[in-house]
Structures are given as C-alpha cells and as structure tokens.
Amino acid sequence: AGREGGGLGCWVVWAPGRQRGRGVEADGAQLLGPRGPFRAHPANNKATPLPPTEPVGQNPPAGAIIDYWLGANAKGPVTLDITDASGHLVRRFASNVAPARPDAERYFAKGWLRPLVALSGKPGMHRFTWNLRYARPRAISYSYSIAAVWGENTPILPGGPYVLPGTYTLTLTADGKSQSVPLKVKEDPRVHISDAALKSSLAMSGEIASLLAPATGHFAQQQALQKQLDKRFPATAKPADAKPADAKLAALLTTLRAKPAPGTPSFMHAEGRLTGIENALESADVAPTAEQHATIARAKAELAAAEKAWGAEQAAPLAALNAALAAKGEKPLTIPPLDKAKAEAPDPGQDLP
C-alpha cells in the first residue's frame, strides 16, 4: 500500500500480504518467511520509568516477528519449533500450552503488565514474537526489572540467555503437516564482540542454569517440609495438645525446625550469586570476567555443602520422625521429587484504589 501527499512520500510494504497464498490450499497452513532480526538488548535504564502520562512512541516487538496463516481451526495443537544450525532444539511453543509469568513480587500497578500472547490454532493470519532467547532458567526467586515502559510488559529477571547470531530454522506444524523457513539472527551492528566471547557467555549461562535447577528443587523441598511441620505440628501448640507430645519426637521437631547459623551454606544464598551473574550476562554482550568464573566456583562449593547437609537431614532426623509417626499409625512427612518441587509464590500484591 502507498500514500503520498504534502511533498512526503511514504510507502509501506506488508511482507505477509505479499507472501500469503502462494500455492496454499484455502484450509491449509502457511508459515511466512520472517525478516532477520537484530540481536539487540532491551533498554537497561535503571532510573524511575517515565509516568504513564508522558507521551512516548512505540517500538516494534523485540525479537523475531513470525507470521503464519491457518485456513481452518487446527484439529490438534499447533506447534512452532526453533532449531539451530546443528538441528538442536532451541525453543518450542504450542497452542495448547498457555504462556505464564514466573512468580515474582509485583510492587507496582497491574497496568505495567500486558497479557501474554500464546501461539494460536484458530483460522486467520497470526503474529507471534520470539524474543531470541533460550528458555528462562529455573530459579528460587524472580524479580521485575525497573527498566519498564507503560503499556509494555515489565521484564522479569532472569529472562534467559540470548541465542548466538546465526541461521535458525522455524518449523510450524498444524494437523500433522510441517513446513520450515530459515531465520537469520544478526548481531546488533553497534556491538563489536568476537564470536568466541559470545559463545563463552552462552556457555556460562548454560552452566548457571544447570546449577540453578537442582538448587531450586532442593530449596522447594525444604519449604515443603517446613510447611508440613507447621500444619501438622504447630510450633505455638501447647505440649499437652501437640502431636507427638513425647520428648523424643519434640526434639526431632526442634532439630528439623532449627534455623541455620549465619554463614551456613544455603541454596538461597548460592542461588542469589548465580542469578546475579546471569542477569549481568543477559544485560549486555560482553565476555565473562574472571571474577564471574570465581563466583560460580564458590557457588558450586556452597551448593555442594548445602546439598550434603540437606541429604543428611533427610537421612537422620526426618527419617527418625517418620519412623516414629509410622509406629503411631500416622502418615509420614513426604518430600516432593526434585523436578516437581516448586518454591512458594510471593505475595502478588494489591493495587490501591
């Protein structure tokens, strides 16, 4: 389409409209070739965001803008797979999996958040945006960034490492039929960094994710145990009312409830170190520093010590408590599997009237 007037010529070419319909059945699906996105980081402004009343422009969606057409309702889930040049899966999205925000304490009005967009399986033209990141790492806690813009989604940290510049393949599957198009991710032209440095940063993010996952699971297991203790054996209950009331079981409960001494290795403290580094890696294209490598080594040692102590707690006082409960015909306390344990969500907050 085009419009001209007042001495100013403005021509807009809608790429999806030009590609749509080339040899595609009316009720079929078509994945349109996207333009190659730049691997640009979002604003890292740490100052107070502009108020909603401040006039601002609107940038296009950050990442790869993917357009596709469905001629009819899909009979099953529509999926979008993103693979790298080696064929390894980078991300997968599906129409039957609703996107969800990780639990983070919201300290601001809901207007600073926008609804998340899922892959659609309904007929018509659809637009989906991939943020050029790998999946968000599992963590004990997440936080909202101060770098926010009214009307846009406030970023949650950590958000996942960025993919490397290069060629990727997008594969859309609907009703058992798949079609693929290439996607070339380009480096921000303002950034000058070696491929080796980018690969080193991505490798460090991968190492951090591999440490965060079990640390988060162990921490959630500890939370689950404390929650069961508080429910079944309230600390405020009088000795005459408490179950169990004998001194041995009371001693076991005291041991399991004991707060660690200051400086004791903990999953929470080590996780804080790791997520801090991950947030720094995601904020800019820079090579990892020697101090970051050293901090990860210290976090590894702390996690190993915390895991050893948690294992000993399960093998001794918790096992003894469960044995005593079984002898009394009562249900034992259970620990959820590592990959299923979930840390408790923070207070979601409440908007003021």
Side-chain angles (χ1 to χ4, degrees), residues 134-264:
Y134 286 89
R136 191 189 306 272
R138 188 183 182 194
I140 293 174
S141 61
Y142 298 90
S143 61
Y144 284 99
S145 169
I146 193 65
V149 177
W150 181 262
E152 303 289 342
N153 267 326
T154 300
I156 297 179
L157 306 175
Y162 283 87
V163 298
L164 297 173
T167 300
Y168 295 81
T169 300
L170 310 179
T171 302
L172 181 75
T173 301
D175 292 337
K177 298 179 181 179
S178 300
Q179 49 188 297
S180 301
V181 295
L183 173 71
K184 187 174 183 180
V185 177
K186 296 170 285 188
E187 179 58 285
D188 187 334
R190 302 166 297 179
V191 174
H192 303 284
I193 186 172
S194 68
D195 291 342
L198 289 176
K199 290 179 180 178
S200 179
S201 176
L202 181 59
M204 177 173 281
S205 289
E207 181 181 15
I208 289 173
S210 69
L211 296 171
L212 285 176
T216 302
H218 288 310
F219 178 82
Q221 287 178 331
Q222 291 178 329
Q223 276 193 330
L225 174 60
Q226 292 303 317
K227 190 173 182 178
Q228 291 177 78
L229 291 173
D230 292 341
K231 182 178 181 180
R232 293 183 57 178
F233 314 109
T236 56
K238 297 179 181 180
D241 301 327
K243 293 183 179 181
D246 60 90
K248 179 181 178 180
L249 295 185
L252 289 172
L253 290 173
T254 300
T255 299
L256 291 171
R257 282 199 174 103
K259 301 294 184 183
T264 301

Side-chain angles (χ1 to χ4, degrees), residues 15-22 24-28 30 32 69 71 125:
R18 292 172 64 92
Q19 296 181 54
R20 167 74 191 103
R22 297 176 184 174
V24 178
E25 298 177 3
D27 60 348
Q30 184 178 15
L32 308 179
W69 165 270
M125 181 68 74

